[in-house]
Amino acid sequence: PLLVRRAADEAVAELTSRYPDRSVRVLDAGRKSESGSSLAEEVAQAASPSLFGDPPILQIDHIEGADDALQVVVKDLIADPAGTAVVITHNGAARGRGVVNAATKSGARVVKCARPNEREIRRMARDEAAARGGRLSDPAEQWLVDALGTGSLELLIAAVRQAVTDTPGGRVDEDAVQRMFPQ
């Protein structure tokens, strides 16, 4: 989920830099409509341009939870290259795959977020520390991975952020991590 959120955020940021006058609307295809109308109608309405503006940038999360009517609406949006810019997220399930296939056929950029292996997770931890202005020593990295495992990338990244914040100069060594996670 963390990688999917990051990829969607990057795609939306790229679109907002390309189309700065467009609004961004985020909808969750896995939830029920709150307006009394169908979620497909809500998405079609959200995709409409404002009275004097351009069509919005529309982010539709969890397309695997969409019913057939919503999938048809999203496929129509994807097929119109001059219309609404659409970012969709999908968890890899069979349901909603038709929308992903339609996006691929339309020439859309598709980012796959496969579960990273331990080596990639360690690199992500180092990159996160660097992005926060810090540095993880090799023993500190090992201690964090041993203490937290690689099952929850969100938890590991949050721990790296906290360690960088709590350590003078952001230089996280084994002692700093041992204070955070004593054994």
Side-chain angles (χ1 to χ4, degrees):
L2 175 72
L3 299 178
V4 172
R5 276 193 312 275
R6 283 184 173 182
D9 289 349
E10 287 173 10
V12 169
E14 180 181 314
L15 287 168
T16 55
S17 70
R18 193 178 327 159
Y19 308 110
D21 295 334
R22 293 190 183 189
S23 64
V24 177
R25 298 180 186 163
V26 180
L27 295 163
D28 185 345
R31 70 161 175 78
K32 299 288 183 204
S33 174
E34 297 169 5
S35 66
S37 60
S38 75
L39 198 53
E41 292 170 331
E42 194 174 320
V43 168
Q45 183 179 6
S48 300
S50 64
L51 187 56
F52 300 107
D54 294 318
I57 296 167
L58 189 60
Q59 179 178 333
I60 304 172
D61 291 327
H62 310 287
I63 197 69
E64 70 278 357
D67 62 18
D68 292 339
L70 179 54
Q71 289 187 38
V72 168
V73 168
V74 174
K75 286 178 185 177
D76 288 345
L77 291 173
I78 291 168
D80 181 8
T84 302
V86 181
V87 174
I88 59 172
T89 66
H90 183 267
N91 70 359
R95 180 131 180 94
R97 175 82 54 204
V99 176
V100 175
N101 291 342
T104 302
K105 286 179 186 173
S106 75
R109 180 178 63 144
V110 175
V111 178
K112 295 186 181 199
C113 299
R115 173 83 182 133
N117 61 36
E118 186 172 329
R119 180 176 168 193
E120 292 166 329
I121 290 171
R122 288 173 180 277
R123 182 187 44 78
M124 290 175 71
R126 277 189 234 111
D127 290 349
E128 187 65 30
R132 300 283 175 181
R135 184 179 178 288
L136 279 179
S137 70
D138 290 341
E141 173 194 304
Q142 183 64 46
W143 192 272
L144 277 170
V145 170
D146 288 347
L148 299 172
T150 58
S152 173
L153 191 53
E154 291 89 348
L155 182 63
L156 183 61
I157 295 300
V160 168
R161 289 176 183 160
Q162 190 65 49
V164 169
T165 300
D166 292 349
T167 305
R171 299 226 178 264
V172 182
D173 60 12
E174 185 177 9
D175 292 336
V177 176
Q178 286 177 355
R179 283 190 299 277
M180 287 178 67
F181 299 102
Q183 286 188 341

